[in-house]
Amino acid sequence: MSIKSKEVDDDVPLLSSAKFHHQEWSKIVNDLNANYPSGLSDKQVNNRLQKNGYNEVNPKVIPKWLIFLRQFHNVIVYILVVAALLTLFMQHYTDSVVIALVVLINALIGYLQEVNASNALDKIKTMLSVEATVIRDGERFDVPARELVPGDLVYLEAGDNVPADLRIIDADNLRIQESSLTGEADSVLKNESILSEHVPLAERSNMAYASTAVTNGSATGIVVNTGVHSQIGQISQSVADVSDKKSPLTRELDSLGHGISWLIIVVAIVMFALGWFFKIYDISTLIMAIIAMIVGAMPEGLPAATSIILATGVQKLTKKNAIVKTLPAAETLGAIDIIASDKTGTLTKNEMTIQDIVVGDNHYTVTGTGYEPDGDIFLGNKLVDATQDKNLEMFLTMGHQANDTFLTEEAGIWTINGEPTDAAFLSAYYKAFGQKVPKLKELDRIPFDSDYRYMARLVENKHQQRFVAIKGAPDRLFTLARKDLNFDYEYWTKVSAKFAKSGKRVIAVGYVDVDSDTSEVLHETLAAEGVTFLGLAAIIDPPRPEVVDAISDMREAGIRIKMITGDSPDTAKAIAQQLGLADQIEAVTGSEVEAMTDDQLAKVVTNYDVFARTTPQDKLRIISAYQANGLVTAMTGDGVNDAPALKKADIGVAMGIKGTDVAKDSADMVLANDDFSTIKVAIEQGRRLYDNIRKTILYLLPTSFAEGLIVVFSILLRQPMPLTATQLLWINLVSALTLQLAFIFEPAEPGLMKRPPRKTTAKLMRRYDVFQMVYVSVIIAAVALVVFEHLDDITGFAVASTMAVNILIFGKIFYMFNIRTAAPALSKTFWTNPMAFVAIGTMIILQLLFTYVPFMQGVFSTAALSLSDWSFIILTGLIVLIVTELDKYRRMIVKR
C-alpha cells in the first residue's frame, strides 16, 4: 500500500488527539500529508519544524534573584524595614542591625525553601527519547528525537523508548510498558486496529506514547503529536500551569500577620498623633518611643519560631522515612481530609502475585505477596506439599516452563527482567519447591503473540521425553483443549469469569505430549493435536500488607482514602475492598468524569471511593473538585501520570524507591521506604506541629503586645518611658532564643489521632483566644508599669526599668506553663517537656547577666536588684499563672 502526500505541505491541519485511535491509519497519513511507506521529504520536515517547533519540553525558569526578592513581599517585613531605616537615620545603630538581621534571616529561610522546590519539568524533559529511527525519503536511519515532526514514520523495536506520540501502522508482537503513564503493571499488547471513540488512554492499543518503553516486538508508527502536544508534554504543561499553592497554615499566618501589622500601624499612628499634639515628648523621643512600641509589639519572631518548629518536625519525619521538601508541608499533613492515592505501586506492590490456583475440582490459595518467593499453598485450611500433589506439581512446572522472564534476588530485593505475569508463576513455583530449577532442556519456543495470545515452550526431560508447556489467555487455551472429550468447557468458563469479575487476571496452563523426535513447536501443531488442560491461575497486584492497617487508623482519624487509578473498575474495586477503603465501595470511570463539568464533578466527587481508567487530566480535575469542597487534599503516586495532581494537591506524596523522578520532584513529600503507612506517622506529626505552632502564637502575641502596651500607657498617661528600645529588643531576642523554642519539644496532646481533621475555615486564634490575649497583655503591662512608676522616684530609672524588664520576662515564664497544655499546668503534663525547664533556666541565667554584669548595665541601662526585688518579680509572675489557670479551669467546667 502506498499513500502519496499532497503537493502543498504549508498547511498541515491540527488534529484532535482524542480521535487518532478512532481513525484508520491511512486517513491519518492522508490528513497529515505524509508519504507511506517512503516517509517525509527533507523539505516537509524543515517546514514542519519551523511551524511546530522541536519535539521537546522547555520549562520556564524563574531567576534565583527574583525568588530572593519575593521573600521581602510581606507587610511585617515592610514595617520592620521602615523601622530599621528610621533607627539608622537616628543613629541608633544597634537597633538597626538587630532589626535588619531578623528580616534577612527570615528572607533566607524562605529563599532556601523555594530554591529546593520542584524541578519536575526538567525531569520530564530528560524522559524524552534521545534518538529515533525514522523512515524519510525511502530510507531508514536514526535522527535526534527532538527533530521529529507530525507525519514522520518511526520504526520501533524492543529496548527503544517511544520518542513521540504515534498511531501504530503495523505491529509485530509489539508490547509497551506504560505503567508510568497509565498505572498498568503489565506491558500492553499493541496492534493497528481501529478502536471506538471513547476508549480510555490505558486501553488505546493502537497508540504508542512518548516516554514509554518497548519491551517486545517491533512496529512502524506515524507521529501524530510532538513536544508539548504529546501526552507527556500535556502532563508537563499541566505541571507548569498548576500554580504554587499556599498551605493552610501559611494562609492563616499571612492573614494573622496582616491583621496584626495593620493594627499595630494604626495604633502607632494614633499614638504618634496624640504624643505630638499634646507635646508629651520631644519629636526625637516620640519617634523612638513609637519605634520601640512597633518593635516590641510586632511579632517579628513568629516566622522564625514557626520555621524552627516545622524544621525540627521535618527532621523527625526524615528519620521515619518521610522526606518533606518544604516546611509548611510538614504541618499541612495534620490538616488532611482526603488522601487520593494512585493504586499501582502505592497501595499495591506493583508486583503481580498468584493468589488462586484451580486444578480440576481443587481450589488452592497461595499466600505471600509480591515477587519474593515467601509463602505457602493451601487447599482449604490444609497446608499442601506440592511434591505430593502430582496435578498441582504439573501445573506449577508447566507455568514455570512456559516463561521467558527471569526472577533474581539482589541485596534482599527481588527484581524481574521480563513480564510481571510470568514472574508471578516463577514466584509461585519457588514457594512450592524452593529455587530448584526443573532439569529440563529447552529445544524451541513460541513467544507470546498478539494473534494467538499464548506462549509455548518445547522441552525435553532427563528421560528424553519431550512435551510443550503452554500458558496464555483462557479463551485461547479453552479452544485448544476442546479436542479433549474430558474437558469441561462450561465449568472452566464459569471459574474464569468469576475470577475476572473479582478484578483478577486469569491465566490458563496446559501441556502437549509430543514425539521424541519433535524439534520445533508450531501453532498449527498445537491447533491440530490440542492441549491437555491443567488449570487456571488468578493473579493480582496485591495490596501492601501494611496499608490495610494504616487505612483503618486514618479512617478512625476522620481521613477518607480515595483510589485514583488507570486500572479497570473491577480490579480497582476488588483491591479497594481488600484495603477496606470504605464500608461500601462506590466507583466511577474516567470517561464518566470527563462527561461532567467541573461544578457537576465537585457536587458528586465525595460520593466515590474509586476512580478507574483515569487520565492525568482526570486526576487533576478530581483533586481540584475535592479542594472546591473546602477539603484539604493529599495525593500519593509514583508515575509520570501522577505529576500534575501531585503538584495541584495541598500536599503531594511520592514513592521514593519505585517513584519516577518526575513524581518525586512534583511532590511535597517523598516516602523513602515506599511505605504508605508512613503517611499515618506523618499526619500525626503534622497535627502535633500545628498544635505547637498554635501554642507558640498564643504565647508570643500577648507577651509581645504587653511590651507595646507599656509604651501606649506611658504616652496616654504622659509618663516617662519605662523601657528603652534596646531593652525591648533584648526581651524579644532572649525570648526567641529560649522560651519560644521550648514549644518545639512539646509532646502530642492525648487523643491526637482521635480528632477529626481541622476545618479549612478554622482560625489559629479563636474568639476566646483574642480575649485571653487582651487580658494577659493588660495584666503584664499594667503590673510592670505600676512597679516602674512606684520605684522610679524612689530608686531611680535604672532599678525601676530593670524591675519592669524582669517583670515582663517572668510574666512570660509563668504564662508559658499555662499555654503548654490544655490540661491543668500542675498535673502530670508538668514534666512531659524537660526542654521547657532548660529554656527557663537559660532565660534566668541571661537575665542575671543582663541585671548584674557591668557591661550589660552600660549597654541596656540596668542596675543590680536585691533579693526582695526578685521575690516581688516572681510574685507578679505568679499572678499571671493563677489568673490564666483559674480561667482554664472555668472553661473545663463549662465544657463538661
Side-chain angles (χ1 to χ4, degrees), residues 802-803 805-807 809-810 814 843-844 846-852 863-877:
T802 306
M803 283 286 288
V805 170
N806 281 293
I807 285 170
I809 292 293
F810 275 80
F814 281 98
M843 182 67 150
I844 291 172
L846 289 170
Q847 281 310 110
L848 292 174
L849 295 173
F850 172 82
T851 304
Y852 294 106
L865 301 179
S866 67
L867 191 59
S868 61
D869 291 335
W870 286 110
S871 301
F872 187 79
I873 289 168
I874 294 172
L875 183 62
T876 58

Side-chain angles (χ1 to χ4, degrees), residues 398 401 440-444 457-461 465-469 514:
M398 295 304 154
Q401 288 301 298
L440 300 169
K441 178 183 178 182
E442 179 181 348
L443 302 174
D444 191 28
R457 192 172 179 222
L458 175 63
V459 294
E460 180 182 79
N461 63 20
Q465 295 172 323
R466 298 184 179 184
F467 58 88
V468 176
V514 295

Side-chain angles (χ1 to χ4, degrees), residues 6-12 32-33 43-45 47-48:
K6 300 174 185 177
E7 290 295 324
V8 179
D9 186 55
D10 295 329
D11 188 23
V12 178
L32 289 174
N33 297 340
K43 180 181 178 181
Q44 288 176 304
V45 171
N47 287 342
R48 296 182 188 195

Side-chain angles (χ1 to χ4, degrees), residues 689-705:
L689 291 176
Y690 180 82
D691 276 1
N692 289 349
I693 288 171
R694 186 171 179 276
K695 290 172 183 177
T696 302
I697 292 168
L698 296 181
Y699 170 75
L700 177 63
L701 293 183
T703 53
S704 292
F705 287 171

Side-chain angles (χ1 to χ4, degrees), residues 86 151 420 503 569 608 759 805 878:
L86 280 172
Y608 298 106
K759 296 180 180 178
V805 170
L878 276 171

Side-chain angles (χ1 to χ4, degrees), residues 79-80 83 99 260 264 288-302 700-712 721 723-733 735 740 777 808 812:
I79 295 169
L80 291 176
I99 297 170
I260 291 171
I264 292 171
M288 283 308 300
I290 295 301
I291 291 175
M293 188 205 78
I294 291 173
V295 171
M298 189 67 69
E300 70 269 18
L302 183 57
L700 177 63
L701 293 183
T703 53
S704 292
F705 287 171
E707 299 170 39
L709 278 177
I710 288 179
V711 179
V712 171
M721 289 292 298
L723 301 174
T724 66
T726 52
Q727 287 174 340
L728 289 170
L729 287 168
W730 166 264
I731 294 170
N732 287 350
L733 179 64
S735 296
Q740 283 173 218
S777 301
L808 283 169
K812 286 174 175 271

Side-chain angles (χ1 to χ4, degrees), residues 71 77 80 101-111 300 303-304 307:
Q71 309 309 315
V77 172
L80 291 176
L101 281 174
V102 169
V103 171
L104 187 61
I105 289 169
N106 285 330
L108 284 171
I109 290 171
Y111 169 75
E300 70 269 18
S307 293

